Amino acid sequence: MFKINVIGIGPGYKENMTGQAIEAINKSDVIVGYKTYIKLIENFLGGKEVVENGMKKEVDRCKRAIQISMENKEVSVVSSGDPGVYGMAGLILEILSKEHDIKQFDVRIIPGVTSSNAGGAILGAPLMHDYVTISLSDCLTEWNKIEKRIHCAGEGDFSVVIYNPKSKSRPDYLNKTQEILLDYKRPDTVVGIVKNAFREGQQTKITTLEKLHEAEVDMFTTVFIGNDSTYEHEGYMITPRGYSV
Amino acid sequence: MFKINVIGIGPGYKENMTGQAIEAINKSDVIVGYKTYIKLIENFLGGKEVVENGMKKEVDRCKRAIQISMENKEVSVVSSGDPGVYGMAGLILEILSKEHDIKQFDVRIIPGVTSSNAGGAILGAPLMHDYVTISLSDCLTEWNKIEKRIHCAGEGDFSVVIYNPKSKSRPDYLNKTQEILLDYKRPDTVVGIVKNAFREGQQTKITTLEKLHEAEVDMFTTVFIGNDSTYEHEGYMITPRGYSV
């Protein structure tokens, strides 16, 4: 069996990784990853062979990892957050299912703390009730599909977590999201914004849905939009579960 | 400042916890938690003072933790999975915001791997695209609100993660969920079921939406319902992100 681990490193830095993730990295021969994330964990990779590349090279990265595993080296593909949430787990499995005999591979997906949970913890407890996770990246998804989902998230009074809120090629998608959600949610709905959760340069801001367009966001930012009962108290964003308190 | 940590222990067992979570437990004077979860981590609590109680005693548990912190003991409230997802983070903050001066407390929420990510990793990659997290527990939420959200999740072609799929008092909610989603999703939509993710007695099953009513689920089970492009391959549940493979 060819051994591939797909590892969620969480927000980055060793203290946010699980023991299982650290152990898998330690026993791997080769580590493969996006260079920005390799940098976060490089201080404990020791002298290991590292294969890194840039953004939008995901397919190439996964194919190289699979090739390396077929040389009978144990390979770990690292993915920020959780590898199953807009990460590398799906792509590895897709390629194996379409181009290889997947039964020859021992694939281990090791979960990690995704941005919803990392950013949520920093804000307080914005996701204590049912929530939706939506990526605004249209690299791989048509905007009309994303738009439809935002409508449904608003209609259902879900808390909403926005991944990939902005990039050069789509500066106005977050504003469009704001406009759509204002059809369903109150203008004073609490919004929390977290940049670089648990990383250097961590920043947070609590604002409201009607002021969301004033917020500065980038690809390392996660946006949390409350449900109908979310409130702010002394800097904490809190969505009640429904207990009588 | 009175010190309270609210710690996500992930699926349980030390290897699934983050270093940050383990460190916080180690330096705490008192550990507070639901007895089932205390049991999962008891082997590394050493001789620490432990305050545990049963289900539906969440408010009592959090109030006791707050009282203990006010005796100038550092207290850690442990919560399975992520404390911000149907966990204890919100309740601690709610009680502090309503009954205390929250500025007197140093509250640290430490994220963990929630069931979506733990169970997802075991199934493969069911949540690679936008998804919804819904709890079927009506202890704290009216069923008509839950029902509305299931409709919206179906309408938006989200992958759906169901927490708390069944209990004695509501044996038919998962069947109702199935019926609603069949209005929007194909009968052969892939469904993955994970019981006791990363715990003793772990079980998985892959089935389809039309057969979901045949599945045996309990409160330690998480149900994953695919989106329109989710497929099954050799036991893996895979939701494509949209890369050309």
Side-chain angles (χ1 to χ4, degrees), chain A residues 3-139:
Chain A
K3 287 191 172 181
I4 305 182
N5 308 307
V6 190
I7 301 181
I9 60 167
Y13 300 119
K14 200 170 179 178
E15 69 268 24
N16 295 118
M17 291 173 65
T18 66
Q20 212 183 13
I22 292 169
E23 193 202 328
I25 288 177
N26 285 343
K27 72 188 183 68
S28 293
D29 302 305
V30 184
I31 310 296
V32 177
Y34 171 43
K35 57 187 177 188
T36 306
Y37 300 131
I38 290 286
K39 189 156 277 173
L40 288 174
I41 57 166
E42 66 186 353
N43 62 333
F44 72 99
L45 293 182
K48 276 189 202 302
E49 190 181 334
V50 172
V51 176
E52 54 188 325
N53 67 9
M55 216 159 75
K56 300 199 175 169
K57 301 280 186 197
E58 292 84 4
V59 174
D60 172 57
R61 198 184 306 147
C62 289
K63 287 188 175 181
R64 284 170 74 184
I66 292 167
Q67 284 307 322
I68 294 165
S69 78
M70 292 172 76
E71 295 162 12
N72 287 309
K73 293 177 178 171
E74 179 161 348
V75 59
S76 281
V77 179
V78 295
S79 196
S80 80
D82 180 80
V85 178
Y86 314 115
M88 291 297 109
L91 191 50
I92 286 282
L93 291 173
E94 264 192 88
I95 295 169
L96 288 176
S97 75
K98 289 180 179 156
E99 300 182 358
H100 297 270
D101 176 4
I102 203 169
K103 293 191 296 296
Q104 294 190 317
F105 292 81
D106 174 10
V107 186
R108 219 173 132 212
I109 314 287
I110 298 178
V113 172
T114 182
S115 300
S116 321
N117 305 131
I122 290 164
L123 290 168
L127 305 180
M128 282 302 298
H129 217 296
D130 306 328
Y131 67 96
V132 161
T133 304
I134 296 176
S135 165
L136 296 191
S137 169
D138 69 348
C139 301

